[in-house]
Amino acid sequence: MELGLPLFPGIKFPTPRNTVLARSSPNNLPQFSSNASSSTSISVKPPTKTVPEADVVVIGSGIGGLCCAGLLARYNQDVLVLESHDLPGGAAHSFEIKGYKFDSGPSLFSGFQSRGPQANPLAQVLDALGESIPCAKYDSWMVYIPEAEFLSRIGPTEFLKDLEKYASQNAVQEWKKLLEAILPLSAAAMALPPLSIRGDLGVISTAAARYAPSLLKSFVEMGPQGAFGAPKLLRPFSEIMDSLELRDPFIRNWVDLLAFLLAGVKSNGILSAEMVYMFAEWYKPGCTLEYPLNGSGAIIEALVRGIQKFGGRISLGSHVEKIIVENGKATGVKLKGGQFIRAKMAVVSNASMWDTLNLLPKDQLPKSYVDRVKTTPQCESFMHLHLGFDAEDVREDLGIHHIVVNEWERGVDADQNVVLISVPSVLSPNLAPPGKHVLHAYTPGTEPFELWEGLDRRSAEYKKLKAERSEVMWKAVERALGSGFNRDKCEVKLVGTPLTHQRFLRRNRGTYGPAIQAGQGTFPGHSTPIPQLYCCGDSTFPGIGVPAVAASGAIVANSLVSVSQHSQLLDAIGI
């Protein structure tokens, strides 16, 4: 589950092909004058013989690619985003059926309204683009675990009440001990704004020197305990827990669940910096969660508006078949139809590391690079359940988020064990027809691709497996919605599998992303062995999750402009 938390060391539909969302479009590509709405009118420019080009060509319109393109446009670079599908957004796009607007991916967010140096990286990018996202605020979600069912609230004291009631007094004491140890570390984890980072020595000016006073101040405020613990931020979070001798099974299981929701790995695989940042956001006074009033698609629409505002372009239905390498440098891309688009400055791939590898000529790559990509472990894939149904059939106190854990003993990363449910129409009624609800349930990166590999999606075998493997989600939904819910009465019922994930998101093996364990490996940087080819997204530093991929796109954009331009942008947005 991709959380929209601040951190730093996380079905497509038939619209016209080759549409371009832009104020101006590359020659040979149709023009799409857009306000980011899928129903916007289209006008087509007559083709010419001129080769289309841009300063920077971005492959893929996921959040990482859009953040990169948006900042490049803000830096006055001519940028063109090429998206294979008919809707922008990658895993964060929204789609509509029968008046129900569904999120396809992330649904748990916070930090959209934050500003300044410690803001969510995505919020910083939107601020730079002069865009904002109206949100509904809330502070709780329903939890269904082996011990109990309860409404879990964020904040410094509320969870202590849950622990006392559903776990034990020992769990209460260990949770207090954990917060007392890690909250002082949050000053270090949050001291360096993600938007200040770049991938060259210019980072000394834009980050190290610029924020040296605040870094020093944070270490002073941390005190001896925090200062001595700061090096642990780049180690697995489980090591902090072990050093505190936290052994309560409820606490260990709960922290594993939080880590898994944040980054797809348990506490022994997640960087302490990510967890410390999350704890600082969720367990401080006055903290809230936020949901975009128009769904996750509102995030994409805001980024697209920002790109267009500064003259950037997005071409939908434009499938990149190859990255062209000439004289050892990435000089452009070739589309599926054979069209060549030149990149005068750089090509940026927002595809996964495995999918990017498949776009490159093998004879241009060092064997060590190819071997590293091929041997990087992958997170598993997803099962999805999208439903549209009548609101009167379900409990009146229905909340937006529900987390179901069937067994702690199997581990939160075991398949068919954890189900996440989002009912965003609770907070944003416009996502469903009047009197209706829209729901998205999924198994978070735990569905083995091997069960599905090679199956024909039209076969009886595929349909049978689909019904069997989706049952765990149906049961979780029935548990969350109450006895009045009847699956047979749903107006919309869509089941997605790893093959769906692979097909529509073009994710290698339908994966959630690299399963890189903290302390055993690091997410790669953004440069590649091919000059002028860069990568952003969840295959690069800082890793998996909405804030992380936003930060990765920003880092690449910053790296492609001068230190002076970068510093001016930081000044302009007040960080």
Side-chain angles (χ1 to χ4, degrees):
M1 184 178 194
E2 293 186 8
L3 299 183
L5 294 169
L7 66 88
F8 197 71
I11 301 173
K12 63 177 183 177
F13 296 92
T15 57
R17 306 296 294 176
N18 289 335
T19 55
V20 177
L21 286 71
R23 293 191 301 177
S24 60
S25 61
N27 294 318
N28 274 358
L29 289 177
Q31 181 175 352
F32 187 2
S33 301
S34 169
N35 62 359
S37 169
S38 59
S39 61
T40 306
S41 61
I42 298 167
S43 60
V44 179
K45 290 178 64 177
T48 69
K49 294 183 180 180
T50 306
V51 175
E53 64 179 21
D55 292 335
V56 181
V57 171
V58 178
I59 303 170
S61 67
I63 286 179
L66 293 179
C67 285
C68 179
L71 288 182
L72 285 170
R74 175 70 167 75
Y75 284 130
N76 203 32
Q77 302 298 313
D78 179 23
V79 61
L80 170 63
V81 180
L82 299 173
E83 170 55 51
S84 180
H85 293 312
D86 300 311
L87 295 170
H93 78 272
S94 293
F95 61 93
E96 186 172 332
I97 294 179
K98 296 182 179 179
Y100 293 94
K101 190 174 183 180
F102 294 97
D103 291 338
S104 65
S107 58
L108 182 57
F109 304 98
S110 75
F112 281 131
Q113 310 304 319
S114 58
R115 292 293 182 269
Q118 297 182 355
N120 184 316
L122 179 55
Q124 292 181 341
V125 171
L126 289 169
D127 198 20
L129 298 178
E131 294 292 335
S132 61
I133 302 174
C135 293
K137 294 185 177 182
Y138 64 106
D139 65 356
S140 61
W141 66 88
M142 276 298 297
V143 178
Y144 308 81
I145 56 178
E147 293 87 347
E149 300 179 4
F150 60 93
L151 186 68
S152 177
R153 297 186 183 277
I154 62 175
T157 59
E158 294 300 325
F159 189 56
L160 293 175
K161 300 175 185 177
D162 296 333
L163 290 174
E164 188 171 11
K165 185 174 182 179
Y166 302 111
S168 66
Q169 191 59 41
N170 182 62
V172 172
Q173 296 306 315
E174 288 201 359
W175 187 256
K176 288 181 177 178
K177 187 177 182 180
L178 179 61
L179 292 183
E180 289 171 359
I182 65 175
L183 291 183
L185 295 174
S186 64
M190 303 170 76
L192 197 62
L195 215 65
S196 69
I197 306 300
R198 53 189 293 126
D200 57 22
L201 291 178
V203 72
I204 296 173
S205 173
T206 61
R210 186 182 184 96
Y211 299 101
S214 61
L215 283 168
L216 180 60
K217 181 181 178 181
S218 70
F219 277 98
V220 172
E221 292 176 346
M222 287 162 62
Q225 179 183 359
F228 284 120
K232 297 178 181 178
L233 291 173
L234 300 180
R235 298 293 302 167
F237 190 69
S238 59
E239 293 184 5
I240 289 181
M241 299 181 69
D242 291 341
S243 69
L244 296 171
E245 298 183 344
L246 304 183
R247 299 189 178 91
D248 186 273
F250 189 98
I251 297 299
R252 301 293 299 215
N253 287 330
W254 186 262
V255 173
D256 271 348
L257 178 63
L258 294 179
F260 192 71
L261 297 180
L262 182 59
V265 291
K266 295 192 291 188
S267 60
N268 62 353
I270 191 170
L271 278 176
S272 292
E274 297 182 34
M275 287 294 284
V276 167
Y277 211 145
M278 184 273 292
F279 270 90
E281 281 296 303
W282 279 18
Y283 298 105
K284 67 183 180 182
C287 57
T288 61
L289 298 169
E290 298 168 340
Y291 183 78
L293 287 178
N294 293 303
S296 65
I299 303 170
I300 305 307
E301 291 172 359
L303 289 170
V304 168
R305 286 196 305 269
I307 292 170
Q308 292 178 303
K309 183 186 302 180
F310 293 99
R313 298 165 288 166
I314 303 177
S315 179
L316 303 178
S318 298
H319 179 61
V320 174
E321 191 173 69
K322 292 180 182 179
I323 296 172
I324 303 301
V325 179
E326 299 172 326
N327 299 319
K329 297 181 179 180
T331 59
V333 300
K334 178 184 176 184
L335 301 185
K336 187 176 182 179
Q339 186 178 33
F340 172 65
I341 299 177
R342 183 173 301 282
K344 294 185 287 184
M345 180 190 297
V347 174
V348 179
S349 176
N350 187 207
S352 75
M353 61 169 65
W354 305 282
D355 295 297
T356 299
L357 184 64
N358 291 333
L359 298 176
L360 288 165
K362 300 301 182 287
D363 59 352
Q364 298 284 337
L365 294 167
K367 184 177 182 300
S368 59
Y369 179 79
V370 174
D371 290 345
R372 181 174 63 80
V373 171
K374 288 184 174 180
T375 57
T376 298
Q378 294 182 345
C379 294
E380 297 290 3
S381 191
F382 289 74
M383 290 292 296
H384 293 273
L385 180 64
H386 294 284
L387 303 176
F389 54 91
D390 202 314
E392 70 176 14
D393 295 332
V394 302
R395 55 201 292 181
E396 293 183 2
D397 61 345
L398 183 65
I400 179 175
H401 288 302
H402 307 258
I403 300 175
V404 179
V405 180
N406 293 314
E407 301 176 50
W408 288 126
E409 291 76 16
R410 295 184 61 216
V412 294
D413 55 350
D415 69 299
Q416 302 271 290
N417 195 28
V418 175
V419 177
L420 306 179
I421 301 168
S422 173
V423 194
S425 49
V426 168
L427 296 178
S428 185
N430 60 312
L431 297 177
K436 310 289 183 179
H437 276 313
V438 61
L439 180 149
H440 178 207
Y442 53 100
T443 55
T446 58
E447 182 68 9
F449 186 80
E450 289 75 15
L451 295 175
W452 303 86
E453 194 166 16
L455 289 181
D456 184 341
R457 292 181 293 104
R458 295 163 296 184
S459 68
E461 181 183 6
Y462 176 74
K463 294 174 183 177
K464 179 175 181 291
L465 186 60
K466 204 172 171 181
E468 291 173 352
R469 300 296 288 182
S470 64
E471 187 62 23
V472 68
M473 296 185 293
W474 278 111
K475 289 181 177 178
V477 168
E478 289 167 344
R479 186 177 179 184
L481 300 189
S483 59
F485 173 76
N486 185 339
R487 66 173 76 177
D488 295 327
K489 293 173 64 177
C490 291
E491 295 180 13
V492 175
K493 291 187 283 188
L494 298 172
V495 176
T497 73
L499 296 186
T500 313
H501 216 67
Q502 180 186 47
R503 178 187 178 203
F504 287 111
L505 299 184
R506 297 201 180 277
R507 298 287 295 185
N508 183 272
R509 297 173 61 84
T511 184
Y512 183 35
I516 296 175
Q517 300 281 319
Q520 300 178 25
T522 58
F523 279 87
H526 307 92
S527 60
T528 72
I530 305 294
Q532 298 180 184
L533 173 63
Y534 298 82
C535 294
C536 66
D538 58 20
S539 287
T540 64
F541 176 81
I544 292 174
V546 170
V549 297
S552 76
I555 292 170
V556 173
N558 296 336
S559 303
L560 290 174
V561 300
S562 69
V563 170
S564 175
Q565 286 176 287
H566 187 182
S567 297
Q568 288 172 13
L569 178 66
L570 296 176
D571 290 338
I573 60 176
I575 62 173

